[in-house]
Amino acid sequence: MEEYAREPCPWRIVDDCGGAFTMGAIGGGIFQAVKGFRNAPSGMNHRLKGSMTAIRTRAPQIGGSFAVWGGLFSMIDCGLVKVRGKEDPWNSITSGAMTGAILAARNGPVAMVGSAAMGGILLALIEGAGILLTRFASSQFPTGPQFIEEPSPMPAPTFGDYRQYQ
């Protein structure tokens, strides 16, 4: 299975890291805006200030956490592509499991196994959904242009044949 719009491996790491930071910062900003608004004292002015403070404080941290996860995932994925010599869903699943295990290493081996299982399962679900979506979408469209049979050509009229004018 070949991915069409992916950068080559050294640049893919930077691309995925930046994309993950952006996703984490935007998603974390929205979540922290709601959380800061709800936890602030009553009054619209206080709630808006609480919301903005929560966004400024936590959104960059959440974005950074996402960037670490995305960068580590991409490094492992690129390493597996190099070692195995092919790019398939198993690389992503294994990368998700290994990333989960590495990021949970400080919490001990039990946490590493649990995080590895969750990372692998999550990436297996994502890859499986992508494969199913691709198969479903490809079955909706014909594989190529459909040509109809052309009728056999009429015999060329001879000189003086009046049938050509009817």
Side-chain angles (χ1 to χ4, degrees), residues 9 12 30 40 99 109 128 144 152 159:
C9 259
R12 183 184 306 180
I30 293 169
T99 300
S152 59
F159 182 72

Side-chain angles (χ1 to χ4, degrees), residues 66-129:
F66 270 67
V68 167
W69 195 94
L72 185 59
F73 175 85
S74 291
M75 283 193 292
I76 294 170
D77 192 38
C78 286
L80 288 173
V81 167
K82 181 72 174 170
V83 168
R84 293 184 67 222
K86 59 182 174 178
E87 192 165 345
D88 61 358
W90 288 109
N91 289 346
S92 295
I93 294 168
T94 306
S95 297
M98 291 176 71
T99 300
I102 290 170
L103 291 176
R106 293 175 57 181
N107 298 329
V110 175
M112 285 178 68
V113 170
S115 292
M118 286 305 296
I121 290 169
L122 180 66
L123 264 296
L125 289 173
I126 291 170
E127 288 292 326

